[in-house]
Amino acid sequence: MNTALSRLLPRALGNAGFVLAAILATLSPIMTPPAEASAAEWSAKLSAPLPAPRQAIVNSVLWKCAGDTCVAPDQGSRPVLVCRSVSRAFGPVARFASSSGELAAEDLSRCAGK
């Protein structure tokens, strides 16, 4: 039996697929982070090296430390606040850098809580 519905259904489903593909293509650049954002990281140089490599989650971010160097993915938080949390977790920080650059001496002293 060839009804109007059976003739229109394949066309309607085809159009729906096209619309869905167009929506996904439009949203794809918005939903995909730029390549440079994934490569950005924080780095901290500790005042004294750790006796053994350590990892710790600081403010929901995994920090990996070996010797006097710690690194973690940059999550966009304020560098001074992140530095302060890293200092509490691993010890005094002598240098701290984020994707926006190194902390100035004044900010580094605030990081250490001075």
Side-chain angles (χ1 to χ4, degrees), residues 60-71:
S60 303
V61 177
L62 178 63
W63 279 82
K64 297 177 183 180
C65 298
D68 66 352
T69 304
C70 299
V71 294

Side-chain angles (χ1 to χ4, degrees), residues 8 10 12 17 23 55 70-71 85 92 107 109 112:
L8 293 176
I23 290 170
Q55 294 183 9
C70 299
V71 294
S85 296
D107 290 333
S109 68

Side-chain angles (χ1 to χ4, degrees), residues 44-52 54 65-70 90-95:
K45 182 171 177 66
L46 303 176
S47 296
L50 297 173
R54 257 181 61 201
C65 298
D68 66 352
T69 304
C70 299
F90 298 105
V93 174
R95 181 182 129 325

Side-chain angles (χ1 to χ4, degrees), residues 38-90:
S38 63
E41 70 177 14
W42 286 312
S43 65
K45 182 171 177 66
L46 303 176
S47 296
L50 297 173
R54 257 181 61 201
Q55 294 183 9
I57 295 177
V58 178
N59 296 345
S60 303
V61 177
L62 178 63
W63 279 82
K64 297 177 183 180
C65 298
D68 66 352
T69 304
C70 299
V71 294
D74 188 332
Q75 301 295 317
S77 297
R78 289 182 49 203
V80 173
L81 300 179
V82 175
C83 181
R84 187 175 296 158
S85 296
V86 169
S87 180
R88 285 187 201 123
F90 298 105

